[in-house]
Amino acid sequence: MRLHRLTLTAFGPFGGTQSVDFDELSAAGLFLLHGPTGAGKTSVLDAVCYALYGSVPGARQSGGQGATLRSDHAAPGTRTEVTLELTVAGRRLEITRQPPWERPKKRGTGTTLDKAQTWLRAYDATAGTWKDLSRSHQEIGEEITQLLGMSREQFCQVVLLPQGDFARFLRADAEARGKLLGRLFDTRRCRATLGCSPPTRCCPGWR
């Protein structure tokens, strides 16, 4: 998986719209995401997870999908939105998610609730255009999980290292780690060649 661009609006500490160009950041290789406490480092990672899976890591899911994601600094008429452009399994995709939003009514006083929205698009390199694939939460969730080969919980354990879940992954028993790493790195050829079944010394998860 390669991330290209992340755009946040009214998400976490970001009241307006902010964009992260991962292609530019990674042009020289590795890059460091740093800043003082409260600068929004974790919120950037939360936004990536939310775009992919429709929820944020671990304990920060409390309060529902929309309530805790929306920035306290956002203007009343600005809707929370996350858009992630990435390449996975050779396909360039764009995922946009908007959590439920209690917005001011267009007429009269009070508020009304807009439902959550999700879009998935794929880039057609031949035509040079984006093609709509789905607006179904369930279809998009299944598609992303299949392409990444990881559930949200596994993604948070293995990829989002700062969240602390990686430490729990390291403390897991050999069988649990072997199953996950075997799925991530596709060790079927190794097992077929050596005739072993995890956990063994030739397979991930052995200790």
Side-chain angles (χ1 to χ4, degrees), residues 87 128 161:
T87 295
L161 309 187

Side-chain angles (χ1 to χ4, degrees), residues 1-6 20-26 31 44-45 48-49 51-52 84-88 92-93 148 155 159-160:
M1 179 181 71
R2 179 184 177 89
L3 305 182
H4 297 294
R5 180 178 294 274
L6 175 70
V20 181
D21 189 336
F22 289 106
D23 284 337
E24 182 177 355
L25 289 174
S26 60
F31 64 90
V44 170
L45 301 178
V48 171
C49 186
L52 293 173
L84 177 65
E85 186 180 335
L86 72 158
T87 295
V88 58
R92 187 151 183 154
L93 303 173
L148 293 180
F155 180 83
V159 179
L160 298 187

